[in-house]
Amino acid sequence: MAYLASRSATKEIINKYSFAFQKKYGQNFLIDSNVLTHIIIDAGIRENDFVLEIGPGIGTMTQYLCETAKQVMAVEIDRMLIPILEETLSAYDNVEVINEDALKLDIAKIVEEKNGGEPIKVVANLPYYITTPIIMGLLESGAPIKSITIMVQKEVAHRMQSGPGSKEYGALSLAVQYYANAEIMMDVSAECFMPRPKVDSTVIKLTRYDEPPIDVKDEKMLFKIIRASFNQRRKTLANGLKNAPTLNFTKEEIERAIENIGKPLTIRGEALTLEEFAQLTNALI
Ligand code: SAM
């Protein structure tokens, strides 16, 4: 099977199988070999790596992964793509395709069973409609994951890297920055996909920290506080926390904690850094 990374090869295979693109699954297939080579280099894939690919599509990136990694597991939700993948990946004996919803995967179990518990790398050209739950699921799974190299919508990539003062700053930024170092690797033009997406795309690499960069006594509480602060973005931090149904601190406890970390009671949650959210959590519990 020849490489798929071109408009003509992609067209040929989808015509052969009369494949109809499913908008609901965010199907925009890569057709640019330079972009694919770049992603494999950015992801730092080596010959002893186990790679999990989310959403292989017709297998365009999977082919590159199979040529570079030791073993690839590709999880695709659309069953119409499974017979296509059987053909396009038939030259490789180091790939396993699973027809499943990536959001339902037990990553820790996969890593244990397929890679003896050794850290894996995740690479994906993500379906944009589920970018956040996929990333959060991977980061919060606690599974040994070295890095996550993903194509996402440009704004989402910037949101992951942003800090206080930016309107893109939010719960996703803080979660990503708690678990990983985020590096933007490249912007990718809509021309490099079939069909062309309506948004700009960016490849971002999240390299998981061995230890979180901040000291917090209760990680779950930290994220409850972060979510509560951003759920009511226009309110003060004190009101956001007081009104949150997931928290039950009194007004006095909240005000004392905000003062303890040296902030005014008028401050909004969006003005706090990750470290300050950790200090606030430690002051509240
Ligand atoms: N990797 C291919 C490429 O780069 O050309 C396809 C990328 S396309 C943007 C996203 C792929 O993810 C599609 O094949 C789509 O069917 C699949 N997908 C969408 N939702 C999914 C889910 N919940 N679990 C697994 N795969 C999913």
Side-chain angles (χ1 to χ4, degrees), residues 52-111:
L52 171 67
E53 184 189 8
I54 296 166
I58 55 172
T60 315
M61 185 152 77
T62 327
Q63 293 181 328
Y64 282 69
L65 291 169
C66 289
E67 301 228 333
T68 323
K70 178 183 72 182
Q71 186 68 32
V72 179
M73 176 179 265
V75 185
E76 174 56 60
I77 198 168
D78 186 352
R79 69 184 167 82
M80 303 309 281
L81 288 166
I82 305 303
I84 302 185
L85 287 163
E86 262 163 36
E87 175 176 339
T88 60
L89 301 176
S90 59
Y92 305 102
D93 58 7
N94 59 342
V95 60
E96 183 180 354
V97 175
I98 304 182
N99 183 202
E100 238 199 85
D101 180 347
L103 289 172
K104 296 189 180 143
L105 286 184
D106 183 342
I107 313 268
K109 192 166 159 220
I110 291 176
V111 180

Side-chain angles (χ1 to χ4, degrees), residues 22 24-31 36 53-62 75-78 81 100-103 124-130 134 193:
Q22 297 267 4
K24 67 171 181 191
Y25 289 146
Q27 291 174 341
N28 301 94
F29 299 157
L30 271 166
I31 52 170
L36 283 153
E53 184 189 8
I54 296 166
I58 55 172
T60 315
M61 185 152 77
T62 327
V75 185
E76 174 56 60
I77 198 168
D78 186 352
L81 288 166
E100 238 199 85
D101 180 347
L103 289 172
N125 169 16
L126 282 187
Y128 294 165
Y129 76 107
I130 46 166
I134 293 259
F193 301 87

